[in-house]
């Protein structure tokens, strides 16, 4: 796989480089103009973009935001992202109000050496996510045409959106088939870190999984159970495991169709799976709910578990304190509500305080670190791709390579 450094070594001054970044950040539009509430992914894109601009490239960035339905939607415009990106880069970022239309063409044509342009949300075009190869190829052709012909050396493609490399989409996969392609600094760093988790991790190796659904994590659970020494399970998915142990879970989140699978996992890996022993329960899903701490065997009907309890927090922290390698994906409870944030905070702080090689697997886990005010320097790596990091680890167990990585290796 060729990297950004390989591209830079060839000389890029005056050359147009199309960069697929991951700028899918959360926006709060409640008080009028959209406000970015977590710019972590934008900040993660800066090293690659800075390296290209300082080398004199004309940089055209494509990215998505949210899940628009294949048509322009002002709620998902990348305009506020362009403004924040310009602040972080220390210079203006030109914004094209379309993807491959008149605005995009004039914006790209107007770029000077070292300039940056951001195209409008790539998912406003239904071809981006099409399952039809020819439709995706058509959009890829349009993107290539947009950046080609502006220099004698021709255009190049840099894949730096790790959060989308598990998607076979036009701006991730099909463009790379049509242009000289390179892995950006973020993709290079992410894959190196995740490979360390699957190849020769220092032991004890502890995996912490939370979040809502067992079904979302089943593949990675299966892949990691034979690699990790201990698997700590919290969050909504824990209640399906508790039900598999024969406990009543009240109104807690439960995937009844996964109970037998969880029972089999517990039977075959009882020595590695650690479940909560107590939980914080509530009489409703609300920040002002009545709450209690109960053993997992005593969740009453009509109540729901929304966080791990203090005994579980202490047990998880003890295991994490002795770990040499940690991978964490998924909160331990509904951390967005103060009464149910203590479990996620305790796990995050225990990892940050440890001396382990620690990887936070993106998504809600990364958001929790920032929202709860945990010092990010306490973690070895905070991934930008929740789903991508899980699929990378799952694929490592089966020999499957993510499409956005496989195409870079071709």
């Amino acid at each position: 796989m060729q990297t950004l450094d390989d591209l830079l070594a060839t000389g890029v001054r005056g050359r147009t480089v199309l960069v697929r970044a991951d700028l899918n950040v959360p926006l709060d539009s409640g008080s009028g103009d959209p406000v970015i509430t977590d710019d972590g992914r934008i900040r993660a894109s800066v090293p690659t973009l800075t390296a290209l601009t300082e080398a004199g490239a004309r940089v055209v960035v494509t990215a998505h935001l949210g899940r628009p339905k294949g048509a322009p939607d002002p709620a998902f415009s990348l305009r506020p992202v362009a403004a924040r990106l310009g602040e972080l880069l220390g210079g203006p970022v030109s914004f094209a109000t379309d993807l491959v239309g008149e605005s995009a063409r004039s914006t790209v044509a107007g770029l000077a050496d070292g300039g940056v342009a951001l195209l409008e949300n790539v998912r406003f075009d239904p071809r981006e996510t099409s399952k039809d190869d020819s439709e995706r190829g058509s959009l890829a052709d349009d993107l290539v045409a947009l950046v080609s012909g502006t220099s004698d050396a021709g255009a190049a493609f840099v894949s730096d959106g790790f959060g989308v490399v598990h998607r076979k989409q036009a701006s991730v996969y099909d463009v790379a088939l049509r242009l000289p392609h390179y892995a950006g600094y973020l993709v290079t760093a992410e894959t190196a870190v995740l490979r360390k988790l699957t190849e020769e991790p220092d032991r004890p190796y502890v995996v912490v999984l939370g979040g809502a659904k067992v079904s979302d994590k089943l593949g990675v659970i299966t892949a990691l159970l034979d690699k990790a020494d201990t698997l700590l399970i919290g969050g909504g998915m824990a209640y399906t495991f508790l039900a598999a142990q024969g406990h009543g879970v009240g109104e807690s989140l439960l995937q009844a169709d996964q109970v037998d699978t969880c029972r089999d996992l517990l039977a075959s890996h009882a020595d590695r799976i650690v479940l909560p022993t107590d939980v914080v329960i509530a009489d409703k899903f609300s920040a002002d709910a009545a709450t209690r701490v109960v053993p997992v065997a005593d969740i009453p009907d009509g109540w729901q578990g929304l966080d791990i309890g203090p005994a579980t927090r202490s047990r998880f922290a003890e295991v994490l304190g002795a770990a040499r390698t940690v991978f964490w994906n998924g909160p331990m409870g509904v951390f967005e509500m103060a009464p149910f944030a203590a479990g996620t905070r305790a796990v995050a702080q225990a990892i940050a305080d440890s001396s382990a090689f620690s990887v936070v697997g993106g998504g809600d886990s990364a958001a929790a670190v920032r929202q709860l005010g945990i010092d990010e320097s306490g973690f070895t790596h905070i991934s930008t791709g929740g789903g991508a990091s899980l699929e990378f680890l799952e694929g490592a167990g089966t020999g499957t390579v993510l499409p956005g990585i496989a195409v870079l290796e071709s």
Side-chain angles (χ1 to χ4, degrees):
M1 183 165 63
Q2 294 195 98
T3 68
L4 177 58
D5 285 337
D6 295 318
L7 172 60
L8 294 173
T10 68
V12 293
R13 180 164 299 280
R15 190 174 179 186
T16 304
V17 179
L18 180 64
V19 178
R20 195 355 170 145
D22 182 5
L23 306 177
N24 185 27
V25 295
L27 298 177
D28 181 0
S29 302
S31 57
D33 292 338
V35 176
I36 297 168
T37 58
D38 181 354
D39 68 355
R41 283 176 171 163
I42 305 176
R43 288 188 283 114
S45 73
V46 167
T48 286
L49 299 179
T50 298
L52 286 166
T53 57
E54 289 183 347
R58 302 172 186 179
V59 181
V60 179
V61 182
T62 184
H64 77 280
L65 180 67
R67 296 187 177 185
K69 300 184 183 300
D73 184 338
F76 298 109
S77 174
L78 283 168
R79 185 180 291 278
V81 174
R84 180 57 180 149
L85 183 58
E87 292 172 355
L88 292 169
L89 291 174
V93 171
S94 301
F95 180 66
T97 58
D98 56 27
L99 180 62
V100 291
E102 182 178 346
S103 177
R105 290 191 293 270
S106 62
T107 300
V108 172
L111 279 178
D113 294 356
V116 180
L118 175 62
L119 306 179
E120 184 56 286
N121 195 332
V122 69
R123 289 190 182 172
F124 284 179
D125 191 315
R127 296 176 294 173
E128 165 70 358
T129 58
S130 174
K131 302 299 183 184
D132 187 305
D133 290 352
S134 63
E135 290 184 3
R136 290 197 323 274
S138 171
L139 175 56
D141 288 340
D142 287 347
L143 287 167
V144 170
L146 181 69
V147 298
S148 297
T150 55
S151 69
D152 292 338
F157 173 67
V158 172
S159 177
D160 206 42
F162 179 75
V164 289
V165 294
H166 59 317
R167 306 296 189 194
K168 192 175 184 180
Q169 296 179 347
S171 66
V172 178
Y173 181 85
D174 299 272
V175 167
L177 296 174
R178 291 160 166 78
L179 288 174
H181 45 266
Y182 306 84
Y185 289 146
L186 180 59
V187 165
T188 302
E190 294 266 18
T191 54
V193 164
L194 292 174
R195 284 195 175 105
K196 183 166 182 176
L197 295 177
T198 62
E199 293 174 357
E200 294 184 3
D202 292 337
R203 299 188 179 278
Y205 176 17
V206 178
V207 173
V208 189
L209 293 179
K213 297 180 179 180
V214 174
S215 56
D216 291 343
K217 306 282 172 71
L218 189 58
V220 77
I221 290 172
T222 303
L224 292 179
L225 267 174
D226 291 330
K227 297 181 183 295
D229 298 291
T230 306
L231 176 60
L232 307 177
I233 295 180
M237 62 186 290
Y239 299 96
T240 302
F241 278 93
L242 293 173
Q245 289 184 321
H247 298 303
V249 297
E251 298 300 312
S252 307
L253 187 64
L254 174 66
Q255 284 190 284
D257 62 335
Q258 297 294 324
V259 170
D260 288 343
T261 299
C262 291
R263 187 179 293 116
D264 291 343
L265 288 170
L266 289 169
S268 59
H269 295 87
D271 59 330
R272 298 193 180 195
I273 298 175
V274 179
L275 296 174
T277 56
D278 63 339
V279 292
V280 179
I281 61 172
D283 63 350
K284 60 182 178 179
F285 189 84
S286 173
D288 62 358
T291 64
R292 292 160 51 188
V293 176
V294 299
V296 293
D298 296 334
I299 301 174
D301 292 342
W303 289 64
Q304 56 189 301
L306 296 179
D307 196 12
I308 57 174
T312 302
R313 293 173 218 152
S314 296
R315 173 58 178 149
F316 283 14
E318 179 184 0
V319 173
L320 291 166
R324 296 295 303 279
T325 302
V326 175
F327 174 71
W328 169 37
N329 181 279
M332 298 294 98
V334 187
F335 72 91
E336 298 91 345
M337 299 182 188
F340 315 112
T344 302
R345 180 181 288 107
V347 164
Q349 195 63 62
I351 298 171
D353 290 344
S354 77
S355 58
F357 177 88
S358 56
V359 179
V360 180
D364 286 342
S365 308
V369 167
R370 299 181 182 112
Q371 181 174 319
L372 299 175
I374 310 299
D375 186 353
E376 294 183 39
S377 67
F379 306 93
T380 306
H381 182 75
I382 299 179
S383 178
T384 58
S389 62
L390 289 178
E391 289 197 28
F392 186 99
L393 295 174
E394 180 181 344
T398 62
T400 302
V401 181
L402 303 185
I405 299 298
V407 74
L408 295 178
E409 295 175 340
S410 63

